Amino acid sequence: MRALSRLAGVTVLAGALVVGASATALAAPGPSADAVTASAASAATVDTATRPPRTTHGPCAYTQTPDEPAARPVPLPPDPRRTPTRGSVRVTLATNHGPIGLTLDRAAAPCTVQSFLHLVGKRFYDRTSCHRLTAYPTLSVLQCGDPSGTGEGGPGYRYRDELPTDLPPAPTDPTGERRVYARGVLAMANAGPDTNGSQFFLVYANSALRPNYTIFGEIDGAGLATLDRIAAGGVAPTAEDPAPVDGAPALPVDIRKAVRAHHH
């Protein structure tokens, strides 16, 4: 969970989904809660003598992150000039608790969907674990997508945000800054603006977050039932915190295989 970068302390934990050193981690609810982040392993300074990171030439501009190497070898995604922006794609995460069906929305986030499908096709998500479960009243998500299982791993590249603009205000937030990421939402975790990689989060109960996380699909009914079983198990207790609301799932969650549905 060190990868879950507790967003500068517990204050951010309640509203942030952040990725570790190169990923993204979730912050806990607090006065300024708002973080689902993928920890981005401490950024190392790139030697100016080394060649610059490679970037694809299409509209998505996927960019290598040499200081944050891939947790599992994978090439940069294809980046066609005409990135598909219409239609949906079905993907199923076969887990040890049951299937989690996802419907990806190309119109909402074409570059994100393209990257996610690329990682699915390269079996990047197969045999991985979901490292974080949160059970705050205002942040209820399962975070997955890091083959290292630490919350700090990613695909060795990053790409820009495709943020939602029409989410309703969170009634629990008097500041009006947070929005409702509704039950059933599939979104990307990140380590700050335009740092999307491979980590994503599944919302099992309405959550209040700043609209800083790309929504790229939704979870089906069977998938939500699976998430409910996982959430009911709670967060694994530790010596420091016998009743945590943010940490590794008490019921370990393994993605055995991620499968894209055939066209029909």
Side-chain angles (χ1 to χ4, degrees):
M1 298 312 304
R2 46 185 182 284
L4 288 186
S5 99
R6 301 245 182 230
L7 285 164
V10 180
T11 24
V12 185
L13 283 179
L17 289 166
V18 187
V19 182
S22 78
T24 323
L26 274 174
S32 71
D34 196 22
V36 180
T37 319
S39 39
S42 54
T45 304
V46 180
D47 188 338
T48 54
T50 64
R51 63 185 173 187
R54 192 162 76 85
T55 298
T56 58
H57 298 298
C60 298
Y62 301 110
T63 303
Q64 288 180 325
T65 54
D67 53 326
E68 297 163 12
R72 180 176 286 175
V74 65
L76 289 175
D79 192 4
R81 183 175 302 174
R82 294 185 179 179
T83 300
T85 58
R86 294 193 298 176
S88 60
V89 184
R90 288 275 301 173
V91 168
T92 298
L93 304 179
T95 80
N96 57 323
H97 295 285
I100 299 178
L102 310 174
T103 299
L104 312 186
D105 185 350
R106 291 190 187 277
C111 292
T112 301
V113 170
Q114 188 164 254
S115 172
F116 192 82
L117 291 175
H118 168 70
L119 294 174
V120 167
K122 296 298 182 182
R123 305 182 68 177
F124 186 87
Y125 294 124
D126 293 3
R127 303 178 310 284
T128 62
S129 62
C130 295
H131 62 276
R132 186 178 195 185
L133 179 71
T134 67
Y136 295 104
T138 55
L139 184 61
S140 303
V141 308
L142 177 68
Q143 189 168 339
C144 315
D146 169 16
S148 76
T150 65
E152 296 190 2
Y157 65 84
R158 60 177 171 76
Y159 59 96
R160 63 183 175 80
D161 296 322
E162 296 172 296
L163 303 178
T165 58
D166 57 354
L167 301 180
T172 56
D173 179 20
T175 70
E177 295 178 357
R178 292 168 186 76
R179 297 289 182 268
V180 175
Y181 277 65
R183 170 176 164 85
V185 156
L186 168 66
M188 291 299 295
N190 62 55
D194 303 321
T195 58
N196 298 290
S198 62
Q199 290 189 41
F200 58 93
F201 60 96
L202 306 155
V203 183
Y204 64 86
N206 286 6
S207 298
L209 286 164
R210 288 187 174 85
N212 298 338
Y213 308 96
T214 297
I215 292 175
F216 66 106
E218 60 183 12
I219 307 158
D220 68 9
L224 285 171
T226 298
L227 284 174
D228 289 341
R229 289 193 292 274
I230 294 167
V235 180
T238 64
E240 298 77 21
D241 189 352
V245 288
D246 185 352
L251 301 176
V253 182
D254 300 318
I255 297 176
R256 293 170 172 165
K257 192 170 187 179
V259 183
R260 176 178 179 172
H262 294 297
H263 293 291
H264 52 279

CSV table of all heavy atoms in Angstrom, one decimal, residues 53-84:
chain,number,residue,atom,x,y,z
A,53,PRO,N,12.4,10.3,-24.2
A,53,PRO,CA,11.5,9.2,-24.3
A,53,PRO,C,10.7,9.2,-25.6
A,53,PRO,O,10.4,10.3,-26.1
A,53,PRO,CB,10.6,9.5,-23.1
A,53,PRO,CG,10.7,10.9,-22.7
A,53,PRO,CD,12.1,11.2,-23.1
A,54,ARG,N,10.4,8.1,-26.1
A,54,ARG,CA,9.7,8.0,-27.3
A,54,ARG,C,8.2,8.3,-27.1
A,54,ARG,O,7.6,7.9,-26.1
A,54,ARG,CB,9.8,6.6,-27.9
A,54,ARG,CG,9.3,6.4,-29.3
A,54,ARG,CD,9.9,5.2,-30.0
A,54,ARG,NE,9.2,4.0,-29.5
A,54,ARG,CZ,8.1,3.5,-30.1
A,54,ARG,NH1,7.5,4.2,-31.1
A,54,ARG,NH2,7.5,2.4,-29.6
A,55,THR,N,7.6,9.0,-28.1
A,55,THR,CA,6.2,9.4,-28.1
A,55,THR,C,5.6,9.0,-29.4
A,55,THR,O,6.2,9.2,-30.4
A,55,THR,CB,6.0,10.9,-27.8
A,55,THR,OG1,6.6,11.2,-26.6
A,55,THR,CG2,4.5,11.2,-27.9
A,56,THR,N,4.4,8.4,-29.3
A,56,THR,CA,3.7,8.0,-30.6
A,56,THR,C,3.2,9.2,-31.3
A,56,THR,O,3.1,10.3,-30.7
A,56,THR,CB,2.5,7.1,-30.3
A,56,THR,OG1,1.6,7.8,-29.4
A,56,THR,CG2,3.0,5.8,-29.6
A,57,HIS,N,3.0,9.1,-32.6
A,57,HIS,CA,2.8,10.3,-33.4
A,57,HIS,C,1.3,10.6,-33.6
A,57,HIS,O,0.9,11.6,-34.3
A,57,HIS,CB,3.5,10.2,-34.8
A,57,HIS,CG,5.0,10.1,-34.6
A,57,HIS,ND1,5.7,11.1,-34.1
A,57,HIS,CD2,5.8,9.1,-35.0
A,57,HIS,CE1,7.0,10.8,-34.1
A,57,HIS,NE2,7.1,9.5,-34.6
A,58,GLY,N,0.4,9.8,-33.1
A,58,GLY,CA,-1.0,10.0,-33.3
A,58,GLY,C,-1.6,11.0,-32.3
A,58,GLY,O,-0.9,11.6,-31.5
A,59,PRO,N,-2.9,11.1,-32.3
A,59,PRO,CA,-3.6,12.1,-31.4
A,59,PRO,C,-3.4,11.8,-29.9
A,59,PRO,O,-3.6,12.7,-29.1
A,59,PRO,CB,-5.0,12.0,-31.8
A,59,PRO,CG,-5.2,10.7,-32.5
A,59,PRO,CD,-3.9,10.4,-33.1
A,60,CYS,N,-3.1,10.5,-29.6
A,60,CYS,CA,-3.1,10.1,-28.1
A,60,CYS,C,-1.7,10.4,-27.5
A,60,CYS,O,-1.6,10.5,-26.3
A,60,CYS,CB,-3.4,8.7,-28.0
A,60,CYS,SG,-5.1,8.3,-28.5
A,61,ALA,N,-0.7,10.5,-28.4
A,61,ALA,CA,0.7,10.8,-27.9
A,61,ALA,C,1.1,10.0,-26.6
A,61,ALA,O,1.5,10.5,-25.6
A,61,ALA,CB,0.8,12.3,-27.6
A,62,TYR,N,1.0,8.7,-26.7
A,62,TYR,CA,1.5,7.8,-25.6
A,62,TYR,C,3.0,8.0,-25.5
A,62,TYR,O,3.8,7.9,-26.5
A,62,TYR,CB,1.2,6.4,-25.9
A,62,TYR,CG,-0.3,6.1,-26.1
A,62,TYR,CD1,-0.8,5.7,-27.4
A,62,TYR,CD2,-1.2,6.2,-25.1
A,62,TYR,CE1,-2.1,5.5,-27.6
A,62,TYR,CE2,-2.5,5.9,-25.3
A,62,TYR,CZ,-3.0,5.6,-26.5
A,62,TYR,OH,-4.3,5.3,-26.7
A,63,THR,N,3.5,8.3,-24.3
A,63,THR,CA,4.9,8.7,-24.1
A,63,THR,C,5.6,7.7,-23.1
A,63,THR,O,5.0,7.5,-22.0
A,63,THR,CB,4.9,10.1,-23.5
A,63,THR,OG1,4.3,11.0,-24.5
A,63,THR,CG2,6.4,10.5,-23.4
A,64,GLN,N,6.7,7.2,-23.4
A,64,GLN,CA,7.5,6.4,-22.6
A,64,GLN,C,7.8,7.1,-21.3
A,64,GLN,O,8.0,8.3,-21.3
A,64,GLN,CB,8.7,5.9,-23.2
A,64,GLN,CG,8.5,4.9,-24.4
A,64,GLN,CD,9.9,4.5,-25.0
A,64,GLN,OE1,10.8,5.3,-25.1
A,64,GLN,NE2,10.0,3.2,-25.4
A,65,THR,N,8.0,6.3,-20.2
A,65,THR,CA,8.4,6.9,-18.9
A,65,THR,C,9.6,6.1,-18.4
A,65,THR,O,9.5,5.2,-17.6
A,65,THR,CB,7.3,6.8,-17.9
A,65,THR,OG1,6.8,5.4,-17.8
A,65,THR,CG2,6.1,7.6,-18.2
A,66,PRO,N,10.8,6.5,-18.9
A,66,PRO,CA,12.1,5.8,-18.6
A,66,PRO,C,12.3,5.7,-17.1
A,66,PRO,O,12.9,4.7,-16.6
A,66,PRO,CB,13.1,6.6,-19.3
A,66,PRO,CG,12.4,7.3,-20.4
A,66,PRO,CD,11.1,7.6,-19.9
A,67,ASP,N,11.9,6.7,-16.4
A,67,ASP,CA,12.2,6.7,-14.9
A,67,ASP,C,11.2,5.9,-14.2
A,67,ASP,O,11.3,5.6,-13.0
A,67,ASP,CB,12.2,8.2,-14.4
A,67,ASP,CG,10.9,8.9,-14.7
A,67,ASP,OD1,10.4,8.7,-15.9
A,67,ASP,OD2,10.4,9.7,-13.9
A,68,GLU,N,10.1,5.4,-14.9
A,68,GLU,CA,9.1,4.5,-14.3
A,68,GLU,C,8.9,3.4,-15.3
A,68,GLU,O,7.9,3.3,-16.0
A,68,GLU,CB,7.8,5.3,-14.1
A,68,GLU,CG,8.0,6.5,-13.1
A,68,GLU,CD,6.8,7.4,-13.2
A,68,GLU,OE1,5.8,7.1,-13.9
A,68,GLU,OE2,6.9,8.5,-12.6
A,69,PRO,N,9.9,2.4,-15.3
A,69,PRO,CA,9.8,1.3,-16.2
A,69,PRO,C,8.5,0.4,-16.0
A,69,PRO,O,8.0,0.4,-15.0
A,69,PRO,CB,11.1,0.5,-16.0
A,69,PRO,CG,11.5,0.9,-14.6
A,69,PRO,CD,11.0,2.3,-14.4
A,70,ALA,N,8.2,-0.3,-17.1
A,70,ALA,CA,7.0,-1.1,-17.0
A,70,ALA,C,7.1,-2.2,-16.0
A,70,ALA,O,8.2,-2.8,-15.9
A,70,ALA,CB,6.7,-1.7,-18.4
A,71,ALA,N,6.0,-2.5,-15.3
A,71,ALA,CA,6.0,-3.5,-14.3
A,71,ALA,C,6.0,-4.9,-15.0
A,71,ALA,O,6.4,-5.9,-14.4
A,71,ALA,CB,4.7,-3.4,-13.4
A,72,ARG,N,5.6,-4.9,-16.3
A,72,ARG,CA,5.6,-6.1,-17.1
A,72,ARG,C,5.8,-5.6,-18.5
A,72,ARG,O,5.1,-4.7,-19.0
A,72,ARG,CB,4.2,-6.8,-17.0
A,72,ARG,CG,4.1,-8.0,-17.8
A,72,ARG,CD,2.7,-8.7,-17.5
A,72,ARG,NE,2.7,-9.4,-16.2
A,72,ARG,CZ,1.6,-9.9,-15.7
A,72,ARG,NH1,0.5,-9.9,-16.3
A,72,ARG,NH2,1.7,-10.5,-14.5
A,73,PRO,N,6.8,-6.1,-19.2
A,73,PRO,CA,7.1,-5.6,-20.6
A,73,PRO,C,5.9,-5.5,-21.5
A,73,PRO,O,5.2,-6.4,-21.7
A,73,PRO,CB,8.2,-6.6,-21.1
A,73,PRO,CG,8.8,-7.2,-19.8
A,73,PRO,CD,7.6,-7.3,-18.9
A,74,VAL,N,5.8,-4.3,-22.1
A,74,VAL,CA,4.7,-4.1,-23.1
A,74,VAL,C,5.1,-2.9,-24.0
A,74,VAL,O,5.7,-2.0,-23.5
A,74,VAL,CB,3.4,-3.8,-22.3
A,74,VAL,CG1,3.4,-2.5,-21.6
A,74,VAL,CG2,2.2,-3.8,-23.3
A,75,PRO,N,4.8,-3.0,-25.3
A,75,PRO,CA,5.2,-1.9,-26.2
A,75,PRO,C,4.2,-0.8,-26.0
A,75,PRO,O,3.1,-0.9,-25.4
A,75,PRO,CB,5.1,-2.6,-27.6
A,75,PRO,CG,4.0,-3.6,-27.4
A,75,PRO,CD,4.3,-4.2,-26.0
A,76,LEU,N,4.5,0.4,-26.6
A,76,LEU,CA,3.5,1.5,-26.6
A,76,LEU,C,2.3,1.1,-27.5
A,76,LEU,O,2.4,0.3,-28.4
A,76,LEU,CB,4.2,2.7,-27.3
A,76,LEU,CG,5.3,3.4,-26.5
A,76,LEU,CD1,5.9,4.5,-27.3
A,76,LEU,CD2,4.7,4.0,-25.2
A,77,PRO,N,1.1,1.6,-27.1
A,77,PRO,CA,-0.1,1.2,-27.9
A,77,PRO,C,0.0,1.8,-29.3
A,77,PRO,O,0.7,2.7,-29.6
A,77,PRO,CB,-1.2,1.9,-27.1
A,77,PRO,CG,-0.6,2.2,-25.7
A,77,PRO,CD,0.9,2.5,-26.0
A,78,PRO,N,-0.8,1.2,-30.2
A,78,PRO,CA,-1.0,1.8,-31.5
A,78,PRO,C,-1.6,3.2,-31.3
A,78,PRO,O,-2.4,3.4,-30.4
A,78,PRO,CB,-1.9,0.8,-32.2
A,78,PRO,CG,-2.7,0.1,-31.1
A,78,PRO,CD,-1.7,0.0,-30.0
A,79,ASP,N,-1.3,4.1,-32.2
A,79,ASP,CA,-1.9,5.4,-32.1
A,79,ASP,C,-2.3,6.0,-33.5
A,79,ASP,O,-1.6,6.9,-34.0
A,79,ASP,CB,-0.8,6.3,-31.4
A,79,ASP,CG,-1.4,7.7,-31.0
A,79,ASP,OD1,-2.6,7.9,-31.1
A,79,ASP,OD2,-0.6,8.5,-30.5
A,80,PRO,N,-3.3,5.4,-34.1
A,80,PRO,CA,-3.7,5.8,-35.4
A,80,PRO,C,-4.2,7.2,-35.5
A,80,PRO,O,-4.8,7.7,-34.5
A,80,PRO,CB,-4.8,4.8,-35.8
A,80,PRO,CG,-5.4,4.4,-34.5
A,80,PRO,CD,-4.2,4.3,-33.5
A,81,ARG,N,-4.0,7.8,-36.6
A,81,ARG,CA,-4.5,9.2,-36.8
A,81,ARG,C,-5.9,9.3,-36.5
A,81,ARG,O,-6.4,10.3,-35.9
A,81,ARG,CB,-4.1,9.7,-38.2
A,81,ARG,CG,-4.5,11.1,-38.4
A,81,ARG,CD,-4.0,11.6,-39.8
A,81,ARG,NE,-2.6,11.4,-40.0
A,81,ARG,CZ,-1.9,11.6,-41.1
A,81,ARG,NH1,-2.6,12.0,-42.2
A,81,ARG,NH2,-0.6,11.5,-41.2
A,82,ARG,N,-6.7,8.3,-37.0
A,82,ARG,CA,-8.1,8.3,-36.8
A,82,ARG,C,-8.4,7.3,-35.6
A,82,ARG,O,-8.9,6.2,-35.9
A,82,ARG,CB,-8.9,7.9,-38.0
A,82,ARG,CG,-8.7,8.9,-39.1
A,82,ARG,CD,-9.5,8.6,-40.3
A,82,ARG,NE,-9.4,9.6,-41.4
A,82,ARG,CZ,-10.0,9.5,-42.6
A,82,ARG,NH1,-10.8,8.5,-42.9
A,82,ARG,NH2,-9.9,10.5,-43.5
A,83,THR,N,-8.2,7.7,-34.4
A,83,THR,CA,-8.5,6.9,-33.3
A,83,THR,C,-10.0,6.7,-33.2
A,83,THR,O,-10.8,7.6,-33.3
A,83,THR,CB,-8.1,7.6,-32.0
A,83,THR,OG1,-6.6,7.8,-32.1
A,83,THR,CG2,-8.4,6.7,-30.7
A,84,PRO,N,-10.5,5.4,-33.0
A,84,PRO,CA,-12.0,5.2,-32.9
A,84,PRO,C,-12.6,6.0,-31.8
A,84,PRO,O,-12.1,6.0,-30.7
A,84,PRO,CB,-12.0,3.7,-32.6
A,84,PRO,CG,-10.8,3.1,-33.2
A,84,PRO,CD,-9.7,4.2,-32.9
